[in-house]
Amino acid sequence: MSGHSSFESNNAVIKWIEYRLPIFGFINDSLVVYPTPKNLNYWWNMGSLAGVMLMVQIITGIILAMHYTPHADMAFASTEHIMRDVNYGWLMRYMHANGGSMFFIVVYIHIFRGMYYGSYKSPRELLWWLGIIIFILMMATAFMGYVLPWGQMSFWGATVITNLFSAVPLVGDVIVSWLWGGYSVAQPTLNRFYSLHYLLPFAIFAVVFLHLWALHVHKSNNPLGIDIKGPQDTIPFHPYYTVKDLYGMGIFAIIFAWLLFFAPNLLGEPDNYIPANPLVTPTHIVPEWYFLPFYAILRAIPDKLGGVIAMFASLLILFVLPWLDTSKVRSARFRPVYKMLFWAFFIVCMGLGYLGAKPAEGIFVIFSRLGTALYFLFFLVLPFIGWFERPRKLPESISAAVLDDSGGGGGGAIEGAAAKAEDRG
Amino acid sequence: MADSKGGDGHDPSRRDFLYVAAGGLGAVGVAGAVWPMIDQMNPSQDVLALSSIEVDLSGIAEGQSITVSWRGKPVFIRHRTAAEIAAAKAVSMDELPDPEGDEARAQKPEWLILVGVCTHLGCVPLGQQGEYNGWFCPCHGSHYDTSGRIRKGPAPLNLPVPDYVYLDDNNIKIG
């Protein structure tokens, strides 16, 4: 992306190609010599892990599409055919289904990391926006993918989620029957969901490219949240962060493998092993775990349109986060009030996730409403925090904080040193 | 690889070993992960389960032939007349592009069983046709005789004989 590259090679073939298409220089600039803050901790592993999971999902998904039949009469049987008859089909499907969960875990940590360290703030607002777009595309992709096995949860999940649009005044019913291609979720719905489920990952791939392009303009944020002031603040991406990313990937792969081989149905719903029946709804409908906080917000509002608006608002409000946060200090390490608020917000999100899995009755409804109120309260009080909060003293530079083990730079420097010790371990 | 010249406390051979060992183990891991993705395209268990069929021969009159489907391909079962058998046996090996005796191609002379896929480019030849009254492939003009052997045209080999056994006098199992 950058104009001039420092890349040089003595190999005649590489030089010939480089003169015409500077691809080696591009790779060299963005993955090898790419200057990276020297103080990144393991929370910065999530970006590359998310990229790896996207590729895992695309590859296993293309393989599943070779054996799957997107027809209402055959989809369930073809899924079981994959599980029983296709060589390693069980592995491909479990990898894809659990891979979706692992992808969301990584992306949620990535988002919370960005919120804790203020990575969304200027000049990274568009980077943050592109990330939210990826997140929304992921949710759409995951939802449509879950419909494809055409089990009971697939069918009724599709019915419930598409019915959200019936809350739209006047044209709601028209929109819903347009989504369905009929009077209910049926063959046309399944067929179009299959088409879109295949398409959207490539749209995600394209937005990831933009996300990385924007990232490489102002480089990674870091745990101190201060700008890179010179070469002394950075180290080359390779080998330092390639190795660190690979090590994290190894740990991640162990967790993924445990889920995949020892508990492949842990995060699934048993009801989805019952073929779709348009005449009988399962007694307890729950979405996949990664939708639960939003599902809890949807159910918390005792009004159809209101619930749908609240649910979409809870997602879209992330777009204005860079402007709601009025503090100039990025990292929560130096923001005592924001730090508490962040952890409160984190607990509220977890709590909403728990409540989303519970039946919508009694005490759960009351807590869901409380959680929903607190969720939005975070965004409402955020602008005021920046005005009265007294941030701790920021270190002079990344390298100064890393080198200063004596703690002369105040609490921040001590924290920085602690992070460095963790990194060594 | 490692180019440390000593004096820095590193033993170059030890470092080389670590490089090769780590790289080798990585390669084994990648191969293990890639194999399922390749193997999934091989015939699945339900396809393999359908790889043999049984055929009742009793309804096929002399001089008549039928075509059955086996592994998605046509199989010709021809109840040969005495004249056809005699014609097939009378051919000299020198005349055949792919020399093979008629005895080796039919367990019982009156029943000829062939995979009906032209050995040229995979079309299905037409029965009781061609210059040798065996099969004629309309795609590129290959002529097969009454033993299903290639006699003329671009096809290089005889029509293959599938594995089959007689379950009893009137029933065979192909595959």
Side-chain angles (χ1 to χ4, degrees):
Chain A
M1 292 299 116
S2 52
H4 180 71
S5 171
S6 62
F7 178 74
E8 301 221 358
S9 172
N10 291 324
N11 184 306
V13 177
I14 290 179
K15 274 157 86 174
W16 189 92
I17 295 171
E18 187 69 10
Y19 183 65
R20 288 154 180 84
L21 177 72
I23 189 166
F24 297 104
F26 175 66
I27 292 169
N28 188 59
D29 289 352
S30 47
L31 282 173
V32 181
V33 296
Y34 178 66
T36 317
K38 55 167 67 166
N39 59 338
L40 298 187
N41 58 31
Y42 275 108
W43 300 116
W44 264 264
N45 278 39
M46 298 303 144
S48 68
L49 282 180
V52 167
M53 283 319 297
L54 177 62
M55 290 320 296
V56 166
Q57 292 303 87
I58 287 178
I59 291 167
T60 54
I62 288 171
I63 288 170
L64 290 174
M66 294 180 188
H67 305 285
Y68 169 80
T69 311
H71 189 283
D73 295 338
M74 290 177 269
F76 188 89
S78 73
T79 306
E80 285 308 302
H81 159 72
I82 290 168
M83 295 301 288
R84 294 155 194 248
D85 297 331
V86 175
N87 300 322
Y88 295 103
W90 58 273
L91 181 62
M92 296 298 128
R93 175 160 174 265
Y94 277 155
M95 204 186 281
H96 197 70
N98 288 292
S101 283
M102 296 306 285
F103 197 2
F104 271 100
I105 289 172
V106 163
V107 164
Y108 276 129
I109 296 173
H110 194 63
I111 294 170
F112 279 120
R113 194 286 319 276
M115 289 181 73
Y116 185 84
Y117 293 110
S119 301
Y120 49 83
K121 289 187 197 182
S122 174
R124 298 189 181 85
E125 301 96 325
L126 278 183
L127 177 58
W128 175 252
W129 274 28
L130 290 164
I132 301 167
I133 291 167
I134 292 169
F135 180 46
I136 292 170
L137 286 172
M138 274 176 69
M139 292 173 100
T141 310
F143 160 65
M144 288 191 280
Y146 193 64
V147 175
L148 302 183
W150 211 238
Q152 274 290 67
M153 279 293 166
S154 299
F155 185 91
W156 293 102
T159 301
V160 168
I161 300 300
T162 49
N163 262 314
L164 291 179
F165 294 92
S166 71
V168 177
L170 300 174
V171 291
D173 290 340
V174 179
I175 292 173
V176 172
S177 81
W178 175 77
L179 287 172
W180 287 341
Y183 303 111
S184 65
V185 172
Q187 166 57 27
T189 326
L190 175 61
N191 224 151
R192 66 190 56 183
F193 278 16
Y194 175 67
S195 170
L196 294 172
H197 182 72
Y198 205 120
L199 169 72
L200 286 186
F202 298 97
I204 293 175
F205 194 88
V207 185
V208 165
F209 184 80
L210 295 177
H211 192 65
L212 287 175
W213 188 0
L215 172 71
H216 283 213
V217 175
H218 290 285
K219 313 285 186 273
S220 296
N221 185 30
N222 64 82
L224 298 173
I226 55 177
D227 289 331
I228 296 169
K229 297 206 171 78
Q232 73 279 3
D233 288 343
T234 66
I235 43 176
F237 190 81
H238 180 76
Y240 297 105
Y241 286 111
T242 42
V243 163
K244 190 164 182 164
D245 279 354
L246 275 174
Y247 178 73
M249 216 171 279
I251 303 292
F252 174 79
I254 291 170
I255 300 168
F256 188 10
W258 172 81
L259 188 66
L260 178 55
F261 293 111
F262 293 94
N265 288 306
L266 178 72
L267 300 170
E269 279 297 320
D271 272 14
N272 219 30
Y273 284 102
I274 301 169
N277 181 352
L279 305 180
V280 180
T281 306
T283 48
H284 185 203
I285 291 264
V286 265
E288 291 285 83
W289 69 267
Y290 35 80
F291 293 132
L292 289 174
F294 301 100
Y295 192 59
I297 291 173
L298 169 76
R299 297 191 308 182
I301 312 291
D303 174 76
K304 186 171 174 179
L305 181 59
V308 173
I309 289 172
M311 191 188 73
F312 282 108
S314 66
L315 195 56
L316 298 177
I317 200 166
L318 292 171
F319 278 110
V320 289
L321 185 59
W323 295 276
L324 289 177
D325 190 342
T326 49
S327 174
K328 293 273 179 280
V329 177
R330 292 198 191 99
S331 174
R333 281 194 182 170
F334 305 103
R335 301 187 59 195
V337 182
Y338 175 73
K339 192 189 224 171
M340 285 191 294
L341 195 69
F342 169 86
W343 286 114
F345 178 74
F346 178 78
I347 291 164
V348 165
C349 291
M350 295 294 127
L352 283 171
Y354 169 79
L355 292 164
K358 293 288 157 194
E361 59 195 28
I363 194 83
F364 299 124
V365 177
I366 296 163
F367 275 111
S368 293
R369 287 179 189 163
L370 183 67
T372 303
L374 290 173
Y375 182 95
F376 287 104
L377 197 63
F378 169 80
F379 295 96
L380 289 179
V381 301
L382 201 52
F384 303 103
I385 305 278
W387 294 339
F388 72 79
E389 183 182 50
R390 289 251 164 274
R392 292 196 183 119
K393 188 171 174 291
L394 291 170
E396 230 163 85
S397 70
I398 293 169
S399 67
V402 168
L403 293 172
D404 185 8
D405 280 340
S406 66
I414 291 165
E415 279 219 38
K420 190 176 146 235
E422 279 166 29
D423 291 357
R424 279 203 208 106
Chain B
M1 274 203 253
D3 54 2
S4 49
K5 300 269 195 307
D8 58 357
H10 292 298
D11 179 5
S13 64
R14 187 167 175 268
R15 172 151 297 197
D16 285 350
F17 172 76
L18 287 173
Y19 268 121
V20 173
L25 196 64
V28 170
V30 169
V34 166
W35 171 244
M37 301 192 178
I38 295 168
D39 193 35
Q40 52 89 17
M41 283 172 75
N42 278 320
S44 60
Q45 300 306 305
D46 59 323
V47 171
L48 295 177
L50 294 174
S51 62
S52 68
I53 55 165
E54 290 178 20
V55 183
D56 180 6
L57 303 178
S58 58
I60 308 167
E62 193 175 304
Q64 197 183 25
S65 65
I66 64 163
T67 305
V68 295
S69 175
W70 173 68
R71 292 183 184 174
K73 290 185 285 202
V75 166
F76 301 144
I77 300 174
R78 182 151 165 176
H79 194 169
R80 295 193 290 187
T81 61
E84 284 170 348
I85 296 166
K89 287 189 192 294
V91 180
S92 152
M93 287 296 139
D94 302 340
E95 297 174 45
L96 296 172
D98 180 16
E100 205 178 357
D102 187 59
E103 301 75 22
R105 295 177 57 79
Q107 291 178 22
K108 293 184 184 175
E110 62 270 34
W111 294 106
L112 182 65
I113 294 152
L114 301 169
V115 176
V117 176
C118 180
T119 57
H120 182 220
L121 292 171
C123 296
V124 179
L126 304 168
Q128 277 84 4
Q129 288 190 35
E131 291 179 17
Y132 303 89
N133 194 31
W135 285 267
F136 171 70
C137 183
C139 290
H140 305 97
S142 291
H143 298 259
Y144 297 91
D145 66 14
T146 53
S147 188
R149 293 172 297 199
I150 181 66
R151 299 297 289 272
K152 190 180 171 190
L157 299 170
N158 303 332
L159 292 176
V161 178
D163 288 333
Y164 65 92
V165 289
Y166 282 90
L167 299 172
D168 55 50
D169 282 350
N170 282 324
N171 286 286
I172 58 164
K173 182 180 166 192
I174 302 173

